Amino acid sequence: DDNDPMTWVHCHIARQPKPLKHINLAVSSALSAIINKLLAKNCEDRYQSALGIKSDLESCRSEWKKTGVINDFTPGKQDISDRFEIPQKLYGREKEVACLLGAFADINISGSQMFLVSGYSGVGKSALINEIHKPIVEQKGYFIVGKFDQFQRNIPYSAIAQAFKGLMKQLLAESSEHLEVWKKELQAAVAGNGQVLIDIIPALEQIMGVQPSVPHLGTEENQNRFNRLVLKFLQVFTQNNHPLVLFLDDLQWVDSASLGLIKLFILNKDQSNFLLLGAYRDNEVDQHHPFILTVDEIKKAGMEVPNLILKPIQLNDINQLLMDMLKSEREKVKPLAKLVFDKTAGNPFFINQFLKNIYQTELLSFDPVRQAWEWDLEKIEKQQSSDNVVDLLLTEMQSLPESCQELLCFAACIGNVFDLQVLALISEKTLPETAKDLWPAVKAGLLLVEGDNHTLLRNMDNDAVQLNGDFSSILEQFIHDRVQQAAYLLIEENQKQKLHLKIGRLLLKNTPKEKLANYYFDIVEHYNKSIALVTDTDELVELAKLNLIVGQKAKASTAYSPALQYYRNGFDCLQGLTKQEHYQLRFEIEKGEIECNFLLANIDEGLKQAGSLLKLCKTIEDKVDVNNILILYYGGAGQMDQAIDIALDSLSYLNVNIPRDPSQIQFLTELARAKINLGRKKTDELINMPNFEAKEIHIVFSLLKELVAPTYLQGSSTLLPYIILRMFNLTLKHGNGPVASFAYSGYALLWAKLGDFAEAYRFGVLAMQCNEHVDNPPMEARCYFMSTSFALYWQQPFKTIQQPRKIGLQKLLDTGEYFWASYINLFGFWQEAVLSKSLDELFDLTTREIQFAKKAKQIEPYYVHTLHRNLFK
């Protein structure tokens, strides 16, 4: 497809052009070979000098004049460049490359796969994995890269977010028609919950546009929603016509939240056409490292995780590298190759740095008279050995201009990959000034440049260049994390905190408000590294607010460990204030800390903090907020009685007194009250009732709706219907609200149990109609469950209920309500059974439901569906 950008990318990267002699038979093979060399894909395979091509063309002309024929020859024999350039191709890695390509080929068969490459720093793990880029592009796939940072281990999902930011950039480079297709697919996948993903991948907003805020869910529902959304998002980009390869580098520095996501990606059985490549330093992890433990869990779940241990390259490989680089014969470079091998132990990164060093110290030089490279073996032998590679880099950096060194220090604090625009902002320079001052580091090979306008940088050392280009889209990257480490070492130890504080302040002050959300994590990370230097009370309060914001973002994206640390940092910022100063800020921080402690199984600490915070609460609303956390904790822990007791106590704060075990008389009294309150109101009147605004009533409903699940699971025969009646009566008294559709569908369930099927149907229909007027996705989803499972089928054919039931299931999954989703399957089973056409179809249906119940960790539906399946074996 000539109009497909990916086809053109593949042509440029991998597809060899046809030899000229195949297009025009009159062209000689020799001339065709010269043209092919000029068009070679690898830069080291092209002519390296004008003298080289001049020599070959003169040879052609000479032969033509003498004989009228140009004989075949190997072009480039006299092509010796005086520029110092180390070949970029890999040496001695043929078997390893074949293993990687095999792993990529397997994802078309096995679905998804994880493949690891381990070895010492500098051994060439990243370079090896980048070799897979060409076949990926050939299959119109996407290759995205994220690198964990030794100085940013606290930022959740940092490398994964970085990788998907790169994917968004690739999509934005496609045609507007393709971009619109991606936008529609993404919007369909996230179903209105896009903001959850934008919080961790801000660049996604450029594709999807501004997304609505998402409803607050319980902790388990929030976790389920996040996991489902991430998998749906991933599946958009992993199709048969475009596989996805995610390369995560430096996994020895991975954060705990990212490990959870990696496990989710790989163990998802519905995933296909996905390859996760990981690289890590095996000398920096042991069997107790969180990454190794996660890999063990993946293996125990039945997934194979190949691990390619990369060794240093051998003497013969170094020999070949030097032959290619110096255009010299094997025997001549042998002694130099042996010396380089002894000095570097065959480590490719150390080899490159060592060769650069001997060139810069003029121990390796080009003789313009002899047109050949020369070297002094005796002096080279006295050079520093490979274990001092960071010292070599430091020496190289210290030879750069001071303005460049300062920028490298700033960049090392930002991260392995940094935005030139951000670097300009924190260095308080213009973009062109920043680009020009940084250019010596690019020229020295310490930085890689990426961006649409990176050609502007190539002329930075040309004084005639007008610096008026757009540098805003340029990204730069340290060529290796050892380079970043060396740049960070340039900063004096007692200055590091001051520099981080300066960066945090400048980012906060100078980032436009509309972009501030994209930099919250970075700002807080710099501030938290220098928190001891912040003494101004107002600034400490501002920092507490920022830690609260990123803590909430981290918690919403299920990164609970870093979220807890952010909350603790925020709490520390307020330590100098009285407990009543900035009460609401302190309350929100402590509440978040309690939630994270429960989520991380720090139960004793969570309970202790909850008890302390309850004593400090100023309002009933705050007390209920804390109790809601306890209700969710006890419910999740299976302690239903405790959850019910706390909920009933919380309702009593609001003068709503519900008996723990209602008697038959109390139940009938509440039912009679419902009949009286309802009177002769018609469906239209109920739907058009005004929405209530009273905060206290919202709090009451927030407790009543959460009582439904624990009272059902506890097995109370009267408390559940009593709670349903209370919700219904409160709705009739105060008007419709966010829980109205759930209340109506509960009332429908009640009449179905009492045998009045006409009334059950009436309120089931009313609940579905009310859904259209309420913006509360979790309650809307629960309403679908209640109405389709208990009410509608009394006066509608089963066939007409299946579509709304499927919609309900989807809505329950989208809102993370896996408990209710498993039960919509359970109560809808016999509806589908009646409509099934064969026992085989029923067997497949029960198998599907068993798998879902197991995944949702719902024991009762799991065992009931297992009994169902046994009926149809």
Side-chain angles (χ1 to χ4, degrees):
D1 181 0
D2 291 345
N3 295 318
D4 182 6
M6 293 302 291
T7 300
W8 284 108
V9 169
H10 172 240
C11 288
H12 284 299
I13 291 177
R15 190 177 296 171
Q16 294 293 340
K18 288 182 180 179
L20 193 59
K21 66 180 181 180
H22 292 175
I23 298 171
N24 187 340
L25 296 176
V27 175
S28 70
S29 295
L31 188 57
S32 180
I34 291 172
I35 300 298
N36 276 358
K37 189 171 181 65
L38 286 166
L39 295 174
K41 296 299 177 188
N42 296 322
C43 60
E44 57 264 25
D45 294 332
R46 302 178 207 138
Y47 283 100
Q48 302 301 305
S49 67
L51 290 174
I53 189 170
K54 180 184 176 185
S55 173
D56 285 349
L57 290 173
E58 284 178 342
S59 295
C60 290
R61 182 174 65 179
S62 176
E63 274 202 70
W64 179 260
K65 283 184 176 180
K66 287 179 183 177
T67 64
V69 176
I70 304 173
N71 293 317
D72 292 350
F73 72 99
T74 302
K77 284 190 174 181
Q78 303 303 315
D79 181 34
I80 301 177
S81 172
D82 61 351
R83 294 194 312 276
F84 174 81
E85 287 188 1
I86 300 173
Q88 296 301 303
K89 67 182 182 182
L90 294 183
Y91 291 86
R93 301 298 193 206
E94 293 77 13
K95 290 181 181 178
E96 291 84 351
V97 170
C99 284
L100 269 181
L101 295 178
F104 177 64
D106 285 347
I107 65 173
N108 289 325
I109 304 167
S110 60
S112 62
Q113 189 173 343
M114 185 175 184
F115 191 101
L116 300 176
V117 177
S118 59
Y120 278 72
S121 171
V123 79
K125 302 181 292 292
S126 305
L128 172 69
I129 287 176
N130 281 318
E131 282 295 296
I132 204 172
H133 204 168
K134 290 179 183 179
I136 293 168
V137 172
E138 187 173 0
Q139 292 195 29
K140 297 184 179 180
Y142 292 98
F143 180 77
I144 57 178
V145 181
K147 187 177 176 70
F148 291 101
D149 194 306
Q150 57 189 323
F151 304 122
Q152 293 184 336
R153 302 190 202 186
N154 293 329
I155 299 180
Y157 311 119
S158 58
I160 295 173
Q162 183 189 107
F164 281 108
K165 179 181 179 181
L167 178 58
M168 296 305 107
K169 287 188 69 175
Q170 291 183 50
L171 299 187
L172 288 167
E174 296 188 13
S175 67
S176 56
E177 291 82 5
H178 282 178
L179 198 58
E180 187 61 28
V181 171
W182 286 119
K183 180 178 179 179
K184 288 179 179 177
E185 288 191 22
L186 284 166
Q187 287 178 336
V190 302
N193 290 299
Q195 190 59 45
V196 173
L197 297 176
I198 289 173
D199 280 344
I200 59 170
I201 312 171
L204 182 59
E205 191 173 72
Q206 293 178 267
I207 308 288
M208 297 179 61
V210 177
Q211 296 294 294
S213 58
V214 293
H216 177 73
L217 303 176
T219 45
E220 186 177 343
E221 291 82 3
N222 182 68
Q223 176 84 61
N224 292 335
R225 177 177 66 183
F226 178 78
N227 290 351
R228 181 173 171 78
L229 282 172
V230 168
L231 292 177
K232 284 282 188 182
F233 172 77
L234 188 65
Q235 286 168 2
V236 170
F237 301 104
T238 51
Q239 306 295 328
N240 289 327
N241 57 337
H242 51 79
L244 176 69
V245 176
L246 169 60
F247 170 32
L248 296 177
D249 203 358
D250 284 326
L251 280 160
Q252 71 274 3
W253 296 321
V254 65
D255 60 280
S256 58
S258 295
L259 286 176
L261 217 49
I262 289 168
K263 189 176 169 185
L264 182 71
F265 286 163
I266 296 302
L267 296 183
N268 177 30
K269 294 181 180 179
D270 298 328
Q271 190 62 60
S272 62
N273 296 289
F274 175 64
L275 175 61
L276 193 154
L277 297 174
Y280 69 99
R281 299 179 186 175
D282 52 5
N283 61 308
E284 293 190 20
V285 303
D286 58 24
Q287 60 182 349
H288 303 297
H289 191 283
F291 168 64
I292 298 301
L293 294 175
T294 299
V295 172
D296 288 343
E297 288 179 29
I298 292 171
K299 289 178 179 177
K300 287 175 184 176
M303 290 288 292
E304 290 186 13
V305 184
N307 188 352
L308 185 63
I309 302 172
L310 213 54
K311 301 295 184 183
I313 62 174
Q314 300 303 304
L315 179 59
N316 284 341
D317 305 316
I318 298 174
N319 217 91
Q320 187 62 53
L321 182 153
L322 292 176
M323 288 169 60
D324 293 344
M325 173 181 160
L326 304 175
K327 301 295 180 185
S328 188
E329 299 299 324
R330 178 177 293 275
E331 290 305 315
K332 183 180 178 182
V333 301
K334 258 187 176 182
L336 178 60
K338 178 68 168 60
L339 184 55
V340 171
F341 180 75
D342 291 342
K343 288 284 186 180
T344 65
N347 185 293
F349 181 70
F350 295 178
I351 290 169
N352 288 355
Q353 295 309 311
F354 187 79
L355 291 174
K356 283 172 65 177
N357 183 257
I358 63 174
Y359 173 72
Q360 289 165 352
T361 53
E362 298 184 353
L363 300 180
L364 173 68
S365 59
F366 187 78
D367 185 339
V369 177
R370 297 182 61 246
Q371 288 289 296
W373 286 91
E374 301 291 341
W375 50 90
D376 189 327
L377 272 178
E378 187 177 340
K379 290 183 178 178
I380 292 172
E381 195 165 3
K382 296 176 183 178
Q383 284 295 95
Q384 299 177 57
S385 59
S386 62
D387 57 350
N388 291 320
V389 67
V390 174
D391 293 335
L392 292 177
L393 291 167
L394 277 170
T395 302
E396 185 174 357
M397 287 180 186
Q398 287 165 344
S399 68
L400 298 172
E402 284 189 16
S403 58
C404 184
Q405 289 185 50
E406 183 184 42
L407 287 176
L408 285 174
C409 293
F410 278 124
C413 292
I414 296 171
N416 188 271
V417 178
F418 56 94
D419 188 319
L420 192 65
Q421 195 168 30
V422 173
L423 186 62
L425 187 145
I426 63 176
S427 62
E428 299 180 278
K429 296 181 178 183
T430 65
L431 271 167
E433 286 171 346
T434 307
K436 187 168 185 178
D437 287 347
L438 200 61
W439 176 243
V442 179
K443 194 177 178 183
L446 300 173
L447 299 173
L448 295 173
V449 184
E450 176 194 338
D452 298 334
N453 298 294
H454 65 271
T455 50
L456 292 168
L457 289 175
R458 293 178 183 158
N459 296 313
M460 284 295 104
D461 53 345
N462 183 347
D463 292 335
V465 171
Q466 297 296 312
L467 299 181
N468 56 3
D470 176 16
F471 296 83
S472 60
S473 65
I474 293 177
L475 287 176
E476 305 218 20
Q477 178 178 352
F478 286 99
I479 195 165
H480 194 273
D481 50 64
R482 283 300 187 97
V483 180
Q484 183 192 8
Q485 180 186 348
Y488 199 70
L489 288 173
L490 283 174
I491 311 166
E492 293 182 21
E493 199 61 38
N494 62 352
Q495 296 297 312
K496 285 178 180 175
Q497 283 192 338
K498 291 180 181 178
L499 184 53
H500 281 293
L501 182 57
K502 179 182 179 181
I503 293 172
R505 283 171 172 167
L506 286 168
L507 279 173
L508 181 59
K509 177 183 175 183
N510 297 321
T511 304
K513 283 186 178 180
E514 64 274 12
K515 293 185 178 180
L516 197 58
N518 295 352
Y519 294 103
Y520 275 139
F521 282 103
D522 298 311
I523 293 168
V524 170
E525 193 66 18
H526 289 296
Y527 258 116
N528 287 344
K529 285 178 179 176
S530 55
I531 196 169
L533 302 180
V534 183
T535 56
D536 180 75
T537 300
D538 291 340
E539 189 172 17
L540 282 168
V541 171
E542 184 65 25
L543 181 53
K545 291 177 182 176
L546 289 171
N547 272 289
L548 173 61
I549 289 170
V550 295
Q552 289 170 334
K553 284 180 175 289
K555 181 165 69 69
S557 59
T558 71
Y560 302 126
S561 283
L564 178 60
Q565 190 56 54
Y566 289 130
Y567 287 128
R568 285 175 174 170
N569 290 336
F571 183 80
D572 290 343
C573 290
L574 302 176
Q575 283 299 83
L577 305 175
T578 67
K579 291 184 177 180
Q580 296 307 316
E581 287 181 281
H582 298 281
Y583 162 80
Q584 201 58 44
L585 174 60
R586 185 189 296 273
F587 175 80
E588 293 297 332
I589 288 173
E590 289 196 60
K591 186 177 75 169
E593 198 174 344
I594 292 166
E595 287 180 296
C596 288
N597 272 319
F598 282 137
L599 290 163
L600 293 168
N602 304 328
I603 306 305
D604 291 340
E605 189 174 350
L607 290 172
K608 182 180 177 182
Q609 283 184 315
S612 298
L613 188 55
L614 280 169
K615 294 175 184 176
L616 296 174
C617 288
K618 284 184 175 181
T619 66
I620 290 174
E621 182 180 6
D622 289 345
K623 281 188 177 181
V624 172
D625 273 354
V626 178
N627 277 341
N628 267 328
I629 298 171
L630 292 169
I631 291 165
L632 290 169
Y633 159 66
Y634 284 117
Q639 300 179 45
M640 301 305 165
D641 285 332
Q642 190 78 357
I644 292 168
D645 288 342
I646 293 173
L648 295 180
D649 284 345
S650 299
L651 285 166
S652 69
Y653 302 158
L654 299 149
N655 297 316
V656 177
N657 297 303
I658 293 179
R660 184 63 177 77
D661 188 17
S663 65
Q664 194 72 13
I665 292 174
Q666 287 172 314
F667 166 70
L668 292 173
T669 301
E670 197 67 25
L671 180 60
R673 186 178 291 119
K675 295 290 284 182
I676 292 167
N677 289 337
L678 181 61
R680 295 182 178 274
K681 289 187 179 75
K682 295 181 179 178
T683 298
D684 289 346
E685 291 179 77
L686 293 171
I687 288 177
N688 293 320
M689 283 195 305
N691 293 332
F692 61 79
E693 300 293 335
K695 184 183 291 187
E696 291 81 3
I697 304 304
H698 280 286
I699 298 171
V700 170
F701 273 108
S702 75
L703 291 162
L704 288 173
K705 69 180 175 59
E706 292 306 333
L707 268 169
V708 172
T711 50
Y712 170 79
L713 292 171
Q714 187 232 22
S716 171
S717 59
T718 56
L719 185 55
L720 176 59
Y722 192 90
I723 288 166
I724 288 172
L725 285 169
R726 270 300 180 96
M727 282 197 292
F728 182 71
N729 279 321
L730 283 169
T731 300
L732 292 177
K733 181 178 179 180
H734 296 283
N736 290 325
V739 186
S741 62
F742 186 49
Y744 291 140
S745 62
Y747 194 63
L749 159 66
L750 191 59
W751 282 111
K753 295 291 185 184
L754 293 172
D756 191 336
F757 304 125
E759 196 75 347
Y761 178 75
R762 176 194 169 193
F763 280 94
V765 171
L766 169 62
M768 297 290 281
Q769 291 173 335
C770 189
N771 255 346
E772 299 172 11
H773 302 274
V774 176
D775 183 19
N776 188 343
M779 291 304 102
E780 182 184 348
R782 291 189 194 184
C783 169
Y784 269 92
F785 159 69
M786 300 284 256
S787 294
T788 60
S789 298
F790 303 108
L792 298 183
Y793 58 79
W794 296 113
Q795 293 187 17
Q796 278 183 231
F798 281 163
K799 190 173 183 180
T800 65
I801 297 170
Q802 299 317 300
Q803 186 58 28
R805 197 170 70 81
K806 289 175 182 176
I807 293 171
L809 175 61
Q810 185 65 44
K811 287 180 179 294
L812 288 164
L813 294 174
D814 290 341
T815 53
E817 301 268 4
Y818 280 25
F819 166 79
W820 300 95
S822 65
Y823 277 92
I824 200 173
N825 283 336
L826 181 61
F827 289 114
F829 170 77
W830 287 107
Q831 295 178 25
E832 288 202 55
V834 169
L835 297 169
S836 296
K837 297 176 182 176
S838 69
L839 291 177
D840 288 340
E841 195 173 317
L842 282 170
F843 183 79
D844 292 341
L845 172 62
T846 54
T847 301
R848 184 192 73 195
E849 307 295 28
I850 288 169
Q851 290 172 346
F852 180 84
K854 185 178 180 181
K855 182 178 178 182
K857 300 178 182 177
Q858 296 301 321
I859 300 300
E860 183 180 25
Y862 174 80
Y863 284 122
V864 174
H865 285 306
T866 301
L867 289 172
H868 288 162
R869 186 171 62 174
N870 291 338
L871 292 173
F872 306 118
K873 277 186 177 179

